[in-house]
Amino acid sequence: MTNIKVGILNSIPDPLLCEMFGRAGYNFAVLDLEHVLISPHQLQHSIRACELGGCIPWVRVPEVDTKLIGRVLDAGAKGIVISRLESADDAALAVSAALFPPLGRRGITGGRVTGFGRTSLVDYIAQTNQEIHIVPMIESIAGVHALPEILTVPGVSLIMEGALDLALDLGLGPDPLHSDVFKSLQQIAEHCHHAGVPFCANPRNDDQHSYWMDLGIKWFLAGEDRGLVLLALRNRASSLRQLSKLIPA
């Protein structure tokens, strides 16, 4: 299963935690600019920390902001995740902002992304245009309907799902496990399969994980670090209290 890629959504903006992701076995981390107030200084250090720990840093942006996408990539991010993408035009705009001519319209700089000159600009352009991930998140019915066209955009390299926001958009409330939501996720995965673009699942229980594995899905999001850390802390405290009850006073 070495070809399975596992990522995590980073909602605790702390470089020390980001450094731990790679050591814990995560392939990529999505640093969140949609729901988290984080300064450029913090983001830069979190990207460095991911690199140091051996985890590839991606950044989720709240919208297709071409200048923001360029700055985030100049800081060292290797992927851009676009929340709630709903049109092929926006997907094309994001690709154009992330890639250099002739594939896009991104402006170039040197600095840390070229090793402060150790990598030539010619080599850096070629490497970037080949390796940068552009990842739309499908989080609405409009996004699901537009997905076949979005998948035709050259440069779109992966599709993520956002089941919680999709549930809200369907009028189901905060219920990502609703059967209608899962039907939409199945549609997303099917569209991706037909287009030859990988689908990244975020399984919320063991049954979903087994379903996606049986379908041959190779990319997974493990969820959000905030919830995982809280769960681990809560379970550890609970287990110690349970053990204490078993020991005679």
Side-chain angles (χ1 to χ4, degrees), residues 36-67:
V36 180
L37 290 174
I38 181 171
S39 70
H41 186 72
Q42 285 176 300
L43 180 64
Q44 180 75 87
H45 283 307
S46 293
I47 288 172
R48 287 193 183 103
C50 285
E51 294 170 345
L52 183 61
C55 181
I56 299 173
W58 296 357
V59 174
R60 179 165 73 173
V61 295
E63 59 186 346
V64 182
D65 180 331
T66 59
K67 296 300 183 183

Side-chain angles (χ1 to χ4, degrees), residues 46-204:
S46 293
I47 288 172
R48 287 193 183 103
C50 285
E51 294 170 345
L52 183 61
C55 181
I56 299 173
W58 296 357
V59 174
R60 179 165 73 173
V61 295
E63 59 186 346
V64 182
D65 180 331
T66 59
K67 296 300 183 183
L68 176 61
I69 289 172
R71 289 196 301 273
V72 163
L73 293 173
D74 288 341
K78 301 300 183 186
I80 296 294
V81 178
I82 309 111
S83 61
R84 203 180 181 89
L85 195 117
E86 295 180 335
S87 75
D89 286 344
D90 278 349
L93 188 61
V95 171
S96 179
L99 302 183
F100 296 112
L103 302 183
R105 299 193 63 198
R106 178 180 164 195
I108 195 164
T109 185
R112 71 181 309 269
V113 289
T114 63
F116 300 99
R118 294 190 66 180
T119 300
S120 73
L121 291 180
V122 171
D123 288 342
Y124 172 63
I125 289 171
Q127 180 180 332
T128 296
N129 282 353
Q130 183 176 2
E131 296 180 358
I132 290 295
H133 285 276
I134 309 299
V135 185
M137 286 194 76
I138 304 302
E139 304 181 275
S140 66
I141 288 302
V144 175
H145 291 161
L147 184 56
E149 189 176 359
I150 290 169
L151 288 165
T152 67
V153 176
V156 169
S157 52
L158 183 76
I159 297 293
M160 279 187 175
E161 50 104 334
L164 183 56
D165 279 331
L166 187 53
L168 293 176
D169 197 59
L170 284 165
L172 301 171
D175 185 6
L177 293 174
H178 195 284
S179 59
D180 287 347
V181 175
F182 195 67
K183 288 177 184 176
S184 293
L185 300 186
Q186 290 172 308
Q187 283 184 300
I188 294 171
E190 184 176 357
H191 288 315
C192 289
H193 175 73
H194 288 313
V197 175
F199 168 66
C200 181
N202 182 2
R204 289 162 174 81

